[in-house]
Short mmCIF file of all heavy atoms in Angstrom, two decimals:
data_model
loop_
_atom_site.label_atom_id
_atom_site.label_comp_id
_atom_site.label_asym_id
_atom_site.label_seq_id
_atom_site.Cartn_x
_atom_site.Cartn_y
_atom_site.Cartn_z
N ASN A 1 0.85 -1.19 0.00
CA ASN A 1 0.00 0.00 0.00
C ASN A 1 0.88 1.24 0.00
O ASN A 1 1.44 1.61 1.03
CB ASN A 1 -0.90 0.02 1.24
CG ASN A 1 -1.93 -1.09 1.22
OD1 ASN A 1 -2.55 -1.36 0.21
ND2 ASN A 1 -2.11 -1.76 2.35
N PRO A 2 1.04 1.88 -1.14
CA PRO A 2 1.95 3.04 -1.19
C PRO A 2 1.47 4.19 -0.33
O PRO A 2 0.27 4.38 -0.12
CB PRO A 2 1.94 3.42 -2.67
CG PRO A 2 0.63 2.91 -3.18
CD PRO A 2 0.36 1.65 -2.42
N LYS A 3 2.42 4.95 0.16
CA LYS A 3 2.06 6.18 0.87
C LYS A 3 1.92 7.33 -0.11
O LYS A 3 1.13 8.24 0.11
CB LYS A 3 3.13 6.51 1.91
CG LYS A 3 2.78 7.74 2.74
CD LYS A 3 3.56 7.84 4.02
CE LYS A 3 3.06 9.03 4.85
NZ LYS A 3 3.73 9.12 6.16
N TYR A 4 2.68 7.28 -1.21
CA TYR A 4 2.68 8.39 -2.16
C TYR A 4 2.39 7.87 -3.58
O TYR A 4 3.03 6.92 -4.04
CB TYR A 4 4.03 9.10 -2.16
CG TYR A 4 4.42 9.63 -0.80
CD1 TYR A 4 5.39 8.99 -0.03
CD2 TYR A 4 3.80 10.76 -0.27
CE1 TYR A 4 5.75 9.47 1.22
CE2 TYR A 4 4.15 11.25 0.98
CZ TYR A 4 5.12 10.59 1.72
OH TYR A 4 5.46 11.07 2.96
N VAL A 5 1.44 8.48 -4.23
CA VAL A 5 1.18 8.25 -5.65
C VAL A 5 1.11 9.61 -6.34
O VAL A 5 0.97 10.65 -5.68
CB VAL A 5 -0.14 7.47 -5.89
CG1 VAL A 5 -0.05 6.07 -5.29
CG2 VAL A 5 -1.34 8.22 -5.34
N LEU A 6 1.19 9.60 -7.66
CA LEU A 6 1.18 10.85 -8.42
C LEU A 6 -0.27 11.31 -8.63
O LEU A 6 -0.84 11.12 -9.71
CB LEU A 6 1.89 10.69 -9.76
CG LEU A 6 2.01 11.96 -10.61
CD1 LEU A 6 2.85 13.01 -9.90
CD2 LEU A 6 2.59 11.64 -11.97
N ARG A 7 -0.84 11.90 -7.62
CA ARG A 7 -2.19 12.42 -7.75
C ARG A 7 -2.21 13.49 -8.83
O ARG A 7 -1.23 14.22 -9.02
CB ARG A 7 -2.66 12.99 -6.41
CG ARG A 7 -2.73 11.96 -5.28
CD ARG A 7 -2.96 12.65 -3.95
NE ARG A 7 -2.95 11.71 -2.83
CZ ARG A 7 -4.03 11.16 -2.29
NH1 ARG A 7 -5.23 11.44 -2.80
NH2 ARG A 7 -3.93 10.34 -1.27
N ASN A 8 -3.34 13.60 -9.52
CA ASN A 8 -3.41 14.52 -10.65
C ASN A 8 -3.12 15.96 -10.25
O ASN A 8 -2.50 16.72 -11.01
CB ASN A 8 -4.79 14.43 -11.32
CG ASN A 8 -4.86 13.29 -12.32
OD1 ASN A 8 -3.86 12.69 -12.66
ND2 ASN A 8 -6.06 12.99 -12.78
N TYR A 9 -3.56 16.36 -9.08
CA TYR A 9 -3.32 17.75 -8.69
C TYR A 9 -1.84 18.02 -8.48
O TYR A 9 -1.34 19.14 -8.73
CB TYR A 9 -4.14 18.12 -7.45
CG TYR A 9 -3.51 17.76 -6.13
CD1 TYR A 9 -2.62 18.62 -5.49
CD2 TYR A 9 -3.81 16.56 -5.50
CE1 TYR A 9 -2.05 18.30 -4.27
CE2 TYR A 9 -3.26 16.23 -4.27
CZ TYR A 9 -2.37 17.10 -3.66
OH TYR A 9 -1.81 16.76 -2.46
N MET A 10 -1.09 16.99 -8.05
CA MET A 10 0.35 17.15 -7.87
C MET A 10 1.02 17.38 -9.22
O MET A 10 1.87 18.27 -9.37
CB MET A 10 0.93 15.92 -7.17
CG MET A 10 0.40 15.72 -5.76
SD MET A 10 0.64 14.03 -5.11
CE MET A 10 2.42 13.87 -5.12
N ALA A 11 0.65 16.57 -10.20
CA ALA A 11 1.21 16.74 -11.55
C ALA A 11 0.84 18.11 -12.10
O ALA A 11 1.67 18.79 -12.74
CB ALA A 11 0.70 15.65 -12.48
N GLN A 12 -0.40 18.55 -11.86
CA GLN A 12 -0.83 19.84 -12.38
C GLN A 12 -0.07 20.99 -11.74
O GLN A 12 0.27 21.97 -12.41
CB GLN A 12 -2.34 20.04 -12.16
CG GLN A 12 -2.91 21.26 -12.86
CD GLN A 12 -2.71 21.23 -14.37
OE1 GLN A 12 -2.96 20.20 -15.00
NE2 GLN A 12 -2.27 22.34 -14.95
N MET A 13 0.24 20.88 -10.46
CA MET A 13 1.05 21.90 -9.81
C MET A 13 2.43 21.98 -10.45
O MET A 13 2.96 23.08 -10.67
CB MET A 13 1.17 21.58 -8.31
CG MET A 13 -0.11 21.80 -7.51
SD MET A 13 0.04 21.25 -5.79
CE MET A 13 1.28 22.41 -5.17
N ALA A 14 3.01 20.83 -10.77
CA ALA A 14 4.32 20.82 -11.42
C ALA A 14 4.24 21.42 -12.81
O ALA A 14 5.15 22.15 -13.25
CB ALA A 14 4.86 19.39 -11.48
N ILE A 15 3.13 21.14 -13.52
CA ILE A 15 2.93 21.71 -14.86
C ILE A 15 2.83 23.23 -14.77
O ILE A 15 3.47 23.96 -15.55
CB ILE A 15 1.66 21.13 -15.50
CG1 ILE A 15 1.85 19.65 -15.82
CG2 ILE A 15 1.27 21.90 -16.76
CD1 ILE A 15 0.57 18.90 -16.13
N ASP A 16 2.04 23.71 -13.83
CA ASP A 16 1.86 25.16 -13.70
C ASP A 16 3.18 25.85 -13.41
O ASP A 16 3.49 26.91 -13.98
CB ASP A 16 0.85 25.46 -12.59
CG ASP A 16 -0.57 25.02 -12.95
OD1 ASP A 16 -0.83 24.79 -14.14
OD2 ASP A 16 -1.41 24.91 -12.03
N LYS A 17 3.98 25.28 -12.52
CA LYS A 17 5.27 25.88 -12.18
C LYS A 17 6.24 25.81 -13.36
O LYS A 17 6.93 26.79 -13.68
CB LYS A 17 5.88 25.19 -10.96
CG LYS A 17 5.30 25.63 -9.61
CD LYS A 17 6.02 24.95 -8.47
CE LYS A 17 5.59 25.52 -7.13
NZ LYS A 17 6.06 26.90 -6.93
N ALA A 18 6.28 24.64 -14.02
CA ALA A 18 7.21 24.47 -15.14
C ALA A 18 6.88 25.42 -16.28
O ALA A 18 7.77 25.91 -16.98
CB ALA A 18 7.19 23.02 -15.62
N THR A 19 5.59 25.67 -16.49
CA THR A 19 5.17 26.59 -17.54
C THR A 19 5.72 28.00 -17.28
O THR A 19 5.97 28.77 -18.21
CB THR A 19 3.64 26.62 -17.65
OG1 THR A 19 3.17 25.29 -17.93
CG2 THR A 19 3.18 27.53 -18.77
N GLN A 20 5.92 28.31 -16.00
CA GLN A 20 6.48 29.61 -15.62
C GLN A 20 8.01 29.57 -15.49
O GLN A 20 8.63 30.55 -15.06
CB GLN A 20 5.87 30.06 -14.28
CG GLN A 20 4.35 30.22 -14.31
CD GLN A 20 3.90 31.23 -15.34
OE1 GLN A 20 4.50 32.31 -15.47
NE2 GLN A 20 2.85 30.89 -16.08
N GLY A 21 8.60 28.43 -15.84
CA GLY A 21 10.05 28.32 -15.81
C GLY A 21 10.63 27.78 -14.51
O GLY A 21 11.85 27.72 -14.35
N ASP A 22 9.77 27.36 -13.58
CA ASP A 22 10.22 26.83 -12.30
C ASP A 22 10.16 25.31 -12.34
O ASP A 22 9.07 24.72 -12.35
CB ASP A 22 9.33 27.38 -11.17
CG ASP A 22 9.77 26.91 -9.78
OD1 ASP A 22 10.68 26.05 -9.70
OD2 ASP A 22 9.19 27.40 -8.79
N LEU A 23 11.32 24.65 -12.36
CA LEU A 23 11.39 23.19 -12.49
C LEU A 23 11.53 22.49 -11.15
O LEU A 23 11.65 21.26 -11.10
CB LEU A 23 12.57 22.81 -13.38
CG LEU A 23 12.63 23.48 -14.76
CD1 LEU A 23 13.86 23.00 -15.52
CD2 LEU A 23 11.37 23.20 -15.56
N SER A 24 11.49 23.23 -10.06
CA SER A 24 11.78 22.65 -8.74
C SER A 24 10.80 21.56 -8.35
O SER A 24 11.18 20.57 -7.72
CB SER A 24 11.79 23.75 -7.67
OG SER A 24 10.53 24.39 -7.60
N LEU A 25 9.54 21.72 -8.72
CA LEU A 25 8.55 20.74 -8.30
C LEU A 25 8.67 19.44 -9.10
O LEU A 25 8.35 18.35 -8.59
CB LEU A 25 7.13 21.31 -8.43
CG LEU A 25 6.02 20.56 -7.68
CD1 LEU A 25 6.42 20.25 -6.24
CD2 LEU A 25 4.72 21.35 -7.72
N ILE A 26 9.15 19.51 -10.33
CA ILE A 26 9.42 18.28 -11.08
C ILE A 26 10.46 17.46 -10.33
O ILE A 26 10.30 16.25 -10.11
CB ILE A 26 9.93 18.59 -12.50
CG1 ILE A 26 8.90 19.35 -13.30
CG2 ILE A 26 10.30 17.29 -13.22
CD1 ILE A 26 9.37 19.74 -14.70
N ASP A 27 11.53 18.11 -9.90
CA ASP A 27 12.59 17.42 -9.17
C ASP A 27 12.07 16.86 -7.85
O ASP A 27 12.37 15.72 -7.49
CB ASP A 27 13.75 18.38 -8.88
CG ASP A 27 14.46 18.85 -10.14
OD1 ASP A 27 14.45 18.10 -11.13
OD2 ASP A 27 15.00 19.97 -10.14
N GLU A 28 11.27 17.67 -7.14
CA GLU A 28 10.76 17.23 -5.84
C GLU A 28 9.85 16.01 -5.97
O GLU A 28 9.97 15.03 -5.22
CB GLU A 28 10.02 18.37 -5.15
CG GLU A 28 9.49 17.99 -3.78
CD GLU A 28 8.79 19.14 -3.06
OE1 GLU A 28 8.94 20.30 -3.50
OE2 GLU A 28 8.10 18.87 -2.06
N LEU A 29 8.93 16.07 -6.91
CA LEU A 29 8.00 14.95 -7.08
C LEU A 29 8.72 13.71 -7.59
O LEU A 29 8.42 12.58 -7.18
CB LEU A 29 6.87 15.34 -8.04
CG LEU A 29 5.89 16.40 -7.51
CD1 LEU A 29 4.84 16.70 -8.57
CD2 LEU A 29 5.23 15.94 -6.21
N TYR A 30 9.67 13.90 -8.49
CA TYR A 30 10.44 12.76 -8.99
C TYR A 30 11.14 12.04 -7.84
O TYR A 30 11.09 10.81 -7.74
CB TYR A 30 11.44 13.24 -10.04
CG TYR A 30 12.35 12.15 -10.55
CD1 TYR A 30 11.91 11.22 -11.49
CD2 TYR A 30 13.67 12.03 -10.08
CE1 TYR A 30 12.74 10.22 -11.95
CE2 TYR A 30 14.50 11.03 -10.54
CZ TYR A 30 14.04 10.13 -11.47
OH TYR A 30 14.87 9.13 -11.92
N ASP A 31 11.78 12.80 -6.97
CA ASP A 31 12.48 12.20 -5.84
C ASP A 31 11.50 11.54 -4.87
O ASP A 31 11.76 10.45 -4.35
CB ASP A 31 13.30 13.26 -5.10
CG ASP A 31 14.53 13.69 -5.88
OD1 ASP A 31 14.94 12.94 -6.79
OD2 ASP A 31 15.07 14.78 -5.60
N LEU A 32 10.37 12.18 -4.62
CA LEU A 32 9.34 11.64 -3.74
C LEU A 32 8.87 10.27 -4.24
O LEU A 32 8.76 9.30 -3.47
CB LEU A 32 8.16 12.60 -3.66
CG LEU A 32 6.90 12.09 -2.95
CD1 LEU A 32 7.07 12.22 -1.44
CD2 LEU A 32 5.66 12.88 -3.40
N LEU A 33 8.59 10.18 -5.53
CA LEU A 33 7.95 9.01 -6.10
C LEU A 33 8.93 7.88 -6.39
O LEU A 33 8.51 6.78 -6.76
CB LEU A 33 7.20 9.41 -7.38
CG LEU A 33 6.06 10.41 -7.13
CD1 LEU A 33 5.60 11.02 -8.44
CD2 LEU A 33 4.91 9.75 -6.39
N ARG A 34 10.19 8.13 -6.18
CA ARG A 34 11.19 7.06 -6.31
C ARG A 34 11.15 6.10 -5.12
O ARG A 34 11.69 5.00 -5.19
CB ARG A 34 12.59 7.66 -6.44
CG ARG A 34 12.91 8.19 -7.82
CD ARG A 34 14.24 8.95 -7.83
NE ARG A 34 15.33 8.15 -7.32
CZ ARG A 34 16.02 7.26 -8.04
NH1 ARG A 34 15.70 7.06 -9.32
NH2 ARG A 34 17.00 6.58 -7.52
N ASP A 35 10.50 6.50 -4.04
CA ASP A 35 10.44 5.67 -2.83
C ASP A 35 9.03 5.73 -2.25
O ASP A 35 8.83 6.19 -1.12
CB ASP A 35 11.47 6.15 -1.82
CG ASP A 35 11.89 5.05 -0.85
OD1 ASP A 35 11.39 3.92 -0.99
OD2 ASP A 35 12.71 5.32 0.04
N PRO A 36 8.03 5.27 -2.99
CA PRO A 36 6.64 5.55 -2.63
C PRO A 36 6.11 4.79 -1.43
O PRO A 36 5.08 5.16 -0.87
CB PRO A 36 5.87 5.15 -3.90
CG PRO A 36 6.72 4.09 -4.52
CD PRO A 36 8.12 4.52 -4.26
N TYR A 37 6.80 3.73 -1.02
CA TYR A 37 6.32 2.94 0.12
C TYR A 37 6.97 3.36 1.44
O TYR A 37 6.57 2.87 2.49
CB TYR A 37 6.58 1.45 -0.13
CG TYR A 37 5.82 0.92 -1.32
CD1 TYR A 37 6.44 0.79 -2.56
CD2 TYR A 37 4.49 0.56 -1.22
CE1 TYR A 37 5.75 0.30 -3.67
CE2 TYR A 37 3.79 0.07 -2.32
CZ TYR A 37 4.42 -0.05 -3.53
OH TYR A 37 3.73 -0.51 -4.62
N ALA A 38 7.95 4.24 1.36
CA ALA A 38 8.70 4.63 2.55
C ALA A 38 8.05 5.81 3.27
O ALA A 38 7.36 6.63 2.65
CB ALA A 38 10.13 4.99 2.17
N GLU A 39 8.28 5.88 4.57
CA GLU A 39 7.94 7.08 5.31
C GLU A 39 8.97 8.15 4.93
O GLU A 39 10.18 7.90 4.96
CB GLU A 39 7.99 6.82 6.81
CG GLU A 39 6.98 5.79 7.30
CD GLU A 39 5.54 6.27 7.16
OE1 GLU A 39 5.32 7.49 7.17
OE2 GLU A 39 4.65 5.42 7.04
N GLN A 40 8.49 9.31 4.55
CA GLN A 40 9.38 10.42 4.19
C GLN A 40 8.93 11.63 5.01
O GLN A 40 8.16 12.47 4.52
CB GLN A 40 9.32 10.71 2.69
CG GLN A 40 9.71 9.51 1.82
CD GLN A 40 9.79 9.86 0.34
OE1 GLN A 40 10.34 10.89 -0.05
NE2 GLN A 40 9.22 9.00 -0.50
N PRO A 41 9.37 11.72 6.26
CA PRO A 41 8.86 12.74 7.19
C PRO A 41 8.95 14.17 6.67
O PRO A 41 8.08 14.99 6.94
CB PRO A 41 9.73 12.55 8.44
CG PRO A 41 10.19 11.12 8.35
CD PRO A 41 10.36 10.85 6.89
N ASP A 42 9.98 14.47 5.89
CA ASP A 42 10.14 15.83 5.39
C ASP A 42 9.24 16.13 4.20
O ASP A 42 9.20 17.27 3.71
CB ASP A 42 11.60 16.10 5.02
CG ASP A 42 12.14 15.12 3.98
OD1 ASP A 42 11.59 14.00 3.91
OD2 ASP A 42 13.09 15.47 3.27
N ARG A 43 8.48 15.11 3.74
CA ARG A 43 7.58 15.31 2.60
C ARG A 43 6.15 14.90 2.96
O ARG A 43 5.35 14.56 2.09
CB ARG A 43 8.07 14.51 1.40
CG ARG A 43 9.39 15.06 0.84
CD ARG A 43 10.00 14.12 -0.14
NE ARG A 43 11.15 14.75 -0.80
CZ ARG A 43 12.15 14.08 -1.33
NH1 ARG A 43 12.15 12.76 -1.31
NH2 ARG A 43 13.16 14.71 -1.90
N GLU A 44 5.82 14.94 4.22
CA GLU A 44 4.52 14.49 4.71
C GLU A 44 3.38 15.28 4.09
O GLU A 44 2.25 14.79 4.00
CB GLU A 44 4.48 14.61 6.24
CG GLU A 44 3.34 13.88 6.90
CD GLU A 44 3.54 12.36 6.96
OE1 GLU A 44 4.67 11.91 6.70
OE2 GLU A 44 2.57 11.65 7.25
#
């Protein structure tokens, strides 16, 4: 049972930021979703 999945609103937030030239959320979500079954306290 994963703790983290790519919910549509999360992807849309990354799209909105990337469209404005901010790629930080792509990196953050990519790192988050590389370990979806783990507890990640700093990304709660």
Side-chain angles (χ1 to χ4, degrees):
N1 293 316
K3 183 162 185 176
Y4 302 104
V5 296
L6 183 63
R7 298 170 183 264
N8 276 350
Y9 84 87
M10 296 162 62
Q12 189 59 46
M13 289 174 65
I15 291 166
D16 292 344
K17 281 183 172 291
T19 301
Q20 300 301 317
D22 182 352
L23 306 180
S24 61
L25 196 48
I26 299 177
D27 295 332
E28 181 178 347
L29 292 179
Y30 175 78
D31 288 341
L32 171 81
L33 297 166
R34 282 172 55 83
D35 205 1
Y37 297 98
E39 297 293 333
Q40 301 186 45
D42 57 335
R43 292 168 172 155
E44 194 75 13

